[in-house]
C-alpha cells in the first residue's frame, strides 16, 4: 500500500496534466491535425510507459508489470469506448473545433467517477474475498456478450440518453444551439445551459457504464488500488488525443471487440482461479482454499494481453484493406446541420 505522500504527489501530477492539457493544448478551440494528435498521443503513451518503468526503481518489477498490464487493458477498452464517444459527439452535433475541449472535460469527469468505483471495488474485495468470484463471472459473461454481438466496429452502436441526462434536461432549460465555449448563459432573463454542458455530462456519465467492465478487469490483474487508479488515469489522460488519431480508423478495427472478449474472458478465469486460492465458501471444496490451483502470473497475463490485442489489431487492418472499410464521419457530412454558436455575443457567460 503506497503512502499518503505518494498518493498526494500522484494526484497532484494527474490534476496538473489535465490542467496543462486544458490550458495549453486545447486552450484555443481548434480542429487538431492528425500530426498534432499523433504527437500528443505518443507523448502520453511514453509518459505511461516511463511511469510503469519507474516501479522498477521505487517499488518492485512485479508491480511495474501489473501497471503495464492494467494500462494496456484499460487503453484497449478505451479505444472500444471511442465508438460510443463518436456517436455522442454526432448525436449532439458538437462543432469540430469544440470537440477537443468537450472530450477533455468529459474524460476528467469520467476519472472522478472511476475513482469512486475503484474505491468501492477495493473496499469490497478487501472485506469479502468471494467478490472475486462475482467479478470473474461478470467478466466471462461480458466476454461472451461482446464475442457474440460483434461490436461498434460493425456499425451497431446506438446512443440513448440515460436517466441522469434526462434529469439534467428537466432541471434546467437548454439553449437551441451552441454559444461558443460557454456552458451557462442567461438569455431573456432565464439561466440556461448550452448543449456543450450537456454533452460533457453525457460523456462523463456514459463512462460509468464502461467502468462496469474495465474496473473488474484491472482488479483481475492487480488488487493494488494505487495501480488500478493510475492505470485508469493514464489511459484516460491520452484518450482525447487518441480519439483524433484513430477516429478515421475506428470502423477498420473489425476484430477489436473479439480481441477484447478474449482478454476479458482470460482475466475473468484468472480472477476465479485466484478466488479459489482464498476460498471460504462452504459449497466449494468444503470451504477450504484450493492453493494447488495454478494462477497465471502477472508477466504471463501481460504477454497474453499484448499478443491477443496485437493479433486482433493486425488482423483488422489486413482485412480492412481487403474490404476497403472506412469511417463515415457524420460531422463531416454536409447534410448534417452544425451550429457552432461562434457568435460570442450571444448570451452572457456566467
Amino acid at each position: 500500500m503506497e503512502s499518503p505522500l505518494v498518493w498526494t504527489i500522484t494526484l497532484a501530477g494527474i490534476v496538473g496534466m489535465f490542467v496543462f492539457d486544458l490550458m495549453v493544448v486545447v486552450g484555443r478551440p481548434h480542429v487538431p491535425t492528425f500530426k498534432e494528435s499523433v504527437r500528443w498521443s505518443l507523448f502520453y503513451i511514453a509518459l505511461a510507459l516511463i511511469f510503469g518503468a519507474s516501479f522498477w526503481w521505487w517499488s518492485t518489477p512485479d508491480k511495474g508489470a501489473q501497471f503495464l498490464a492494467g494500462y494496456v487493458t484499460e487503453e484497449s477498452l478505451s479505444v472500444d469506448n471511442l465508438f460510443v464517444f463518436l456517436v455522442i459527439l454526432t448525436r449532439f452535433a458538437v462543432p469540430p473545433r469544440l470537440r477537443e475541449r468537450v472530450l477533455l472535460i468529459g474524460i476528467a469527469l469520467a476519472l472522478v467517477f472511476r475513482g469512486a468505483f475503484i474505491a468501492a471495488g477495493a473496499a469490497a474485495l478487501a472485506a469479502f474475498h468471494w467478490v472475486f468470484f462475482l467479478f470473474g463471472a461478470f467478466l466471462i459473461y461480458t466476454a461472451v456478450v461482446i464475442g457474440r454481438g460483434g461490436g461498434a466496429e460493425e456499425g451497431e452502436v446506438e446512443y440513448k440518453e440515460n436517466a441522469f441526462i434526462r434529469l439534467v434536461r428537466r432541471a434546467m432549460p437548454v439553449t437551441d444551439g451552441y454559444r461558443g465555449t460557454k456552458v451557462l448563459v442567461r438569455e431573456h432573463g432565464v439561466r440556461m445551459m448550452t448543449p456543450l454542458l450537456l454533452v460533457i455530462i453525457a460523456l462523463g456519465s456514459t463512462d460509468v457504464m464502461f467502468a462496469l467492465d474495465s474496473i473488474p478487469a484491472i482488479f483481475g490483474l492487480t488488487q493494488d488500488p494505487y495501480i488500478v487508479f493510475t492505470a485508469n488515469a493514464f489511459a484516460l489522460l491520452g484518450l482525447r488525443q487518441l480519439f483524433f488519431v484513430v477516429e478515421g480508423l475506428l470502423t477498420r478495427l473489425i476484430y477489436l471487440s473479439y480481441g477484447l472478449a478474449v482478454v476479458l474472458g482470460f482475466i475473468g478465469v484468472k480472477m476465479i482461479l485466484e478466488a479459489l486460492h482464498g476460498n471460504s465458501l462452504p459449497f466449494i471444496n468444503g470451504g477450504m482454499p484450493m492453493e494447488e490451483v495454478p494462477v497465471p502470473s502477472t508477466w504471463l497475463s501481460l504477454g497474453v494481453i499484448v499478443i491477443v490485442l496485437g493479433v486482433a489489431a493486425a488482423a483488422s487492418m489486413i482485412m480492412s484493406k481487403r474490404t476497403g472499410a472506412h469511417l463515415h464521419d457524420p460531422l463531416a457530412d454536409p447534410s448534417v446541420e452544425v451550429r457552432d454558436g461562434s457568435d460570442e455575443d450571444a448570451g452572457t457567460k456566467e
Side-chain angles (χ1 to χ4, degrees):
M1 179 67 69
E2 276 62 34
S3 67
L5 177 61
V6 172
W7 272 101
T8 300
I9 294 174
T10 302
L11 291 174
I14 291 172
V15 171
M17 292 305 300
F18 271 106
V19 172
F20 169 80
D21 221 352
L22 180 62
M23 302 301 295
V24 177
V25 183
V26 299
R28 177 181 60 84
H30 68 290
V31 180
T33 65
F34 180 77
K35 289 184 178 180
E36 176 187 350
S37 299
V38 169
R39 184 169 61 249
W40 283 110
S41 292
L42 292 176
F43 169 76
Y44 281 108
I45 291 174
L47 200 63
L49 295 179
I50 292 172
F51 180 79
S54 73
F55 280 91
W56 270 257
W57 169 62
W58 66 275
S59 186
T60 65
D62 190 62
K63 283 197 173 185
Q66 290 176 20
F67 171 83
L68 292 175
Y71 171 72
V72 172
T73 300
E74 293 298 317
E75 191 77 356
S76 301
L77 288 169
S78 295
V79 171
D80 202 40
N81 297 342
L82 290 180
F83 291 97
V84 181
F85 283 1
L86 178 61
V87 172
I88 292 175
L89 293 176
T90 303
R91 165 67 176 77
F92 286 92
V94 179
R97 70 188 189 89
L98 295 180
R99 293 165 82 180
E100 272 197 309
R101 181 180 295 267
V102 166
L103 281 168
L104 179 62
I105 300 176
I107 289 169
L109 186 61
L111 182 58
V112 175
F113 291 151
R114 289 201 181 198
F117 266 85
I118 291 169
L125 290 173
F128 310 103
H129 187 79
W130 52 264
V131 173
F132 278 91
F133 286 109
L134 293 181
F135 278 13
F138 177 74
L139 288 177
I140 294 174
Y141 168 76
T142 303
V144 172
V145 171
I146 293 177
R148 293 180 60 184
E153 305 87 343
E154 300 172 5
E156 298 176 357
V157 171
E158 293 183 3
Y159 172 72
K160 294 182 179 179
E161 292 186 358
N162 55 46
F164 184 60
I165 293 297
R166 294 194 295 270
L167 180 64
V168 171
R169 281 187 180 275
R170 289 196 294 267
M172 183 179 294
V174 183
T175 61
D176 60 355
Y178 289 87
R179 302 295 189 263
T181 59
K182 299 173 183 177
V183 295
L184 292 174
V185 297
R186 183 178 295 277
E187 295 183 357
H188 309 295
V190 178
R191 177 179 295 179
M192 306 176 72
M193 75 175 77
T194 70
L196 190 65
L197 178 59
L198 203 60
V199 71
I200 289 172
I201 296 174
L203 290 172
S205 59
T206 299
D207 187 78
V208 172
M209 300 303 299
F210 299 156
L212 292 179
D213 58 13
S214 67
I215 299 303
I218 193 170
F219 269 118
L221 298 169
T222 177
Q223 285 78 60
D224 189 326
Y226 179 79
I227 296 177
V228 173
F229 178 77
T230 52
N232 271 271
F234 275 97
L236 289 175
L237 268 171
L239 189 58
R240 176 189 61 80
Q241 293 85 359
L242 190 62
F243 175 88
F244 294 99
V245 172
V246 305
E247 181 182 9
L249 303 175
L250 287 178
T251 54
R252 298 184 183 184
L253 300 175
I254 56 177
Y255 298 128
L256 176 62
S257 288
Y258 301 109
L260 289 173
V262 173
V263 169
L264 291 177
F266 170 80
I267 297 176
V269 171
K270 181 176 183 292
M271 288 198 79
I272 291 178
L273 294 177
E274 289 181 342
L276 291 174
H277 271 237
N279 174 59
S280 61
L281 297 178
F283 53 85
I284 298 179
N285 196 37
M288 299 298 293
M290 301 174 65
E291 297 181 357
E292 70 280 2
V293 175
V295 178
S297 67
T298 300
W299 291 100
L300 176 60
S301 300
L302 176 59
V304 169
I305 292 169
V306 171
I307 291 174
V308 169
L309 294 176
V311 169
S316 296
M317 299 309 295
I318 292 173
M319 183 58 68
S320 67
K321 288 183 179 179
R322 293 180 180 178
T323 60
H326 64 281
L327 175 67
H328 170 64
D329 183 357
L331 288 178
D333 190 336
S335 65
V336 177
E337 180 182 0
V338 177
R339 297 184 58 183
D340 66 1
S342 57
D343 182 5
E344 296 292 337
D345 293 330
T348 302
K349 185 175 182 179
E350 296 200 343

